[in-house]
Amino acid sequence: MPRFSIIVPSHGVAGRLGQALDSVLAQSFGDFELIPVCDAAAGSPAAGVAAGHAERDSRVAPVHAPPSEGLAGARNAGVRAATGTYLLFLDGDDVLVPGALAALDARLAETGPVDVLPCEHERVPWWEGEPTRPAAPLLEHAPGGAFAPARAPRLTGVGLPAWSAAWRRAFVAEHELAFPPGWFTDVGWCGRALLRAERVAVSRRVLVRHRARRQGDRLRLPGAHHHDLLDQTERVLDEASGLGLPAERSGPLFEQLFAAVLKTAAHPRRLPSGRREFFRRASALYRGHRPAGFRPPGGSLGVQHRLLAAGSYEAFAALRDTRRAAGRAAGALPRPRGLRTRLHYGLQLRRPLDPDLAVYCAYWGRGYACNPAAIHAKARELAPHIRGVFLVEADQAHTVPDGVEYAVLGSHRAWELLARATYLVNNANFAEGVVKRPGSVHLQTQHGTPLKTMGVDQSTYPVVAAATGSFTKLLGRVDRWDFNLSSNPHSTRVWERAFPGSYEHLEYGYPRNDVYVTAGADDVARIRAELGVPEGARAVLYAPTHRDHHTGFEPGLDLEAFCEAAGEDVVVLLRAHYFYDRGGRGRSGRIIDVTAHRSSEDVCLAADALVTDYSSIMFDYANLDRPIVVYADDWEVYRETRGVCFDLTAAPPGRVARTPGELARVFRDGSYADDEAAALRAAFRERFCPFDDGRAAERVVRRVLLGEPPEALPPVIPLAERVPAPAAANLVRS
């Protein structure tokens, strides 16, 4: 029997779950079992993280609980699976501090067996600020050893998170304790457990580092779930009444419960509706359970107690501070440039939203491209009633296909469209001055699978952080997102951490990648002819990424020398990062510059193989199941200056070359396309191409533009059943 069973609910925190589990496995005290509780659905990001840890450490034993059962159901599932002497709970986005388990074991050795051992925890602001210890005031006056709860009557458990204590499993089983359903489940669990406990001790050592979410505490967000606080309060008060709790204990319990109730009632933002109903029910509970001789606290809080006892909602509402900060965030946003434009945009914001207008933009207006273009095209087919308008820079208007409506970024017409559109779709971000209107729907499609660090994860890399600009402004843009598109579970985890927000993840695949499944041999032949690829040639796409520590484009490879060394049939399609697209296009010998070509998807379809360093194009190209070679001549420098999400060289999509000679050799001897390279590519595709089945755009249109429920969308076609677009030539040389 292990000393500790550590239960970690994981729904909705896949991006940080690995850090939580690692903090447990790194403990110096090793007598524990670690129980991540995950969604049982196939492809669940959290389940993948938990399974990976279970493969590496036999102490990790994942269990499953459906998200519909909430936090309470996940914790209860973990309790049922636990075998340890003591139960510990850890939220999936928090961590155990180093040495926590050793200190806890030592404290239990001092006190002997106890039913409950509350500990201190550290609350760390999500971005910057000093850590605090919220439980310290509750614990500082507790006796030094083990004690009966009556000796510390203010230690009621009501203000204690379940993850800030150790719970004796036999005590939990004896009293059939379980987390009650609904929100504020810690109030019900901790309050009832401390009522039943006979022997308690405390530890003033920090056990958990609670990392505050940027989105804020879910329990403080607006919504009807705040009525659950009254359910939990009633459960605890009923149990206290049944036990005949003496006044010296019932008074502090009553006061602490109603401190939480009044805090909710006094914040109108938390209860957008049903405030009067909440107050009336709270008033009935107050009068029905007020202990004999209870004296309200002094000051404003005491006045609120008296008004609640009297049921005087109108007086309570008048006392409550009703000043709102409603327009503050919008007012702080930068405005469109130019007084006339600002006035025009402001006037348009007063007009109603157009329910059938969608505005699209890609790469800050660089043309009709990427996921927004693929969604726009599918919307014309499936939702023809929705008028779609693409926003482009003036010099990119020529990229817009015939029949597609467009507007020039920065123009009065563009600002009018942005003010009136119900749907806004972008693979980057709209301008700072765009206001998120109630009823509008913003879809962030992203434009690649992350290998390099993104968003706020860049803050620890000085070169990148300096170029990124204000992270505060970045997060202001993130706050406009309603949906964020993801092409694989890895991306979902990274987006959750890098762009913290309240949006919904759509794990539908990338619409721009649909063509890799739907295109045929004729399409491949046509594109190759348009690009000027000679018949019978092996077209190698070379797509290096941008390097933040360079000031301009550096190919990093002598391409003419590569062609000569790789084989006489090799031609190179050079596609530089879009930062270096200057609109030119040309050919030099066997090098065809396709940087300015509108569609990266076309370029990929034309290529028989891909050579890249760390560009996200490799994740898209892998859908074609064609050879990929990673040219990692400066991997260590790139990793240290840019930061990466995983070690590409340890899990590459094919052969890895470190020098020009190695790169030429794998093409010359055919090993770039041999069985070993194919096995690496298969594992890579399994990890990064689970959703790109040719129907991603359809899923997005049906879910976002047509409002269909997730269960009505086309299911993802398994990877083994997909038929990628054919390559132009037999790639394996004799």
Side-chain angles (χ1 to χ4, degrees), residues 4-10 13 16 20 23-24 27 34-35 71-72 74-75 79 86-97 100-101 104 116-125 132-136 138-139 157-167 172 179 184-191 193-194 203 205-213 216-220:
F4 301 113
S5 293
I6 304 166
I7 298 164
V8 187
S10 64
V13 292
R16 289 188 170 184
S23 75
V24 178
Q27 293 288 313
L34 178 55
I35 306 174
L71 177 63
R75 286 175 172 169
V79 171
Y86 286 90
L87 303 174
L88 298 177
F89 300 98
L90 181 68
D91 282 358
D93 50 359
D94 294 339
V95 294
L96 286 185
V97 301
L101 295 185
L104 187 58
V116 185
L117 187 100
C119 305
E120 288 203 19
H121 65 272
E122 188 175 68
R123 187 180 190 279
V124 181
T132 59
R133 293 187 175 187
L138 292 172
L139 307 183
V158 170
L160 188 72
W163 41 258
S164 193
W167 313 84
V172 170
F179 285 90
F184 302 92
T185 188
D186 283 14
V187 173
W189 167 275
C190 296
L194 265 294
S203 171
R205 287 283 301 270
V206 170
L207 175 68
V208 170
R209 180 167 294 124
H210 171 59
R211 301 185 294 182
R213 296 166 60 92
D217 186 340
R218 294 169 180 168
L219 298 182
R220 291 179 172 84

Side-chain angles (χ1 to χ4, degrees), residues 228-357:
D228 286 8
L229 175 59
L230 299 181
D231 295 337
Q232 306 294 3
T233 298
E234 187 170 13
R235 285 189 178 97
V236 176
L237 290 173
D238 284 346
E239 186 132 355
S241 297
L243 293 172
L245 212 62
E248 58 268 22
R249 290 191 65 192
S250 62
L253 175 65
F254 183 86
E255 182 180 337
Q256 290 177 20
L257 283 168
F258 277 94
V261 170
L262 285 168
K263 195 170 185 178
T264 297
H267 284 73
R269 181 178 174 273
R270 294 187 186 178
L271 289 167
S273 61
R275 296 173 200 159
R276 187 183 294 270
E277 177 190 349
F278 182 93
F279 185 88
R280 286 177 175 171
R281 186 181 168 202
S283 179
L285 281 175
Y286 190 99
R287 293 192 299 270
H289 290 276
R290 179 171 48 189
F294 174 76
R295 298 185 62 181
S300 174
L301 182 58
V303 175
Q304 293 181 49
H305 270 262
R306 291 178 175 86
L307 293 174
L308 187 63
S312 302
Y313 176 75
E314 286 73 15
F316 184 89
L319 177 68
R320 183 176 59 200
D321 181 8
T322 57
R323 289 178 298 178
R324 306 284 187 100
R328 192 173 300 167
L333 287 171
R335 302 290 185 177
R337 292 181 181 178
L339 177 60
R340 292 178 61 189
T341 303
R342 288 201 299 269
L343 292 173
H344 179 71
Y345 183 55
L347 289 172
Q348 297 304 317
L349 288 172
R350 295 175 178 271
R351 299 176 64 190
L353 290 173
D354 183 338
D356 295 328
L357 175 61

Side-chain angles (χ1 to χ4, degrees), residues 429-515:
N429 264 307
F430 288 101
E432 296 289 339
V434 173
V435 174
K436 175 68 166 73
R437 298 184 63 181
S440 66
V441 178
H442 286 236
L443 168 64
Q444 168 60 251
T445 74
Q446 303 292 349
H447 54 271
T449 291
L451 166 61
K452 60 191 177 186
T453 55
M454 305 292 289
V456 298
D457 285 352
Q458 299 172 345
S459 62
T460 55
Y461 295 89
V463 173
V464 188
T468 300
S470 168
F471 287 104
T472 300
K473 291 183 178 180
L474 168 66
L475 293 170
R477 297 189 290 269
V478 170
D479 285 340
R480 299 189 303 223
W481 303 354
D482 294 290
F483 298 103
N484 183 47
L485 196 57
S486 181
S487 57
N488 47 61
H490 160 79
S491 295
T492 304
R493 294 192 292 268
V494 173
W495 302 145
E496 180 183 314
R497 187 177 63 246
F499 302 115
S502 57
Y503 51 82
E504 178 184 342
H505 289 288
L506 301 181
E507 289 189 318
Y508 293 170
Y510 276 166
R512 70 182 185 190
N513 292 343
D514 285 353
V515 69

Side-chain angles (χ1 to χ4, degrees), residues 28-66:
S28 57
F29 182 90
D31 186 14
F32 63 81
E33 62 179 358
L34 178 55
I35 306 174
V37 187
C38 310
D39 179 5
S44 162
V49 174
H53 282 73
E55 290 176 2
R56 297 193 295 272
D57 196 309
S58 60
R59 294 173 295 180
V60 182
V63 298
H64 301 295

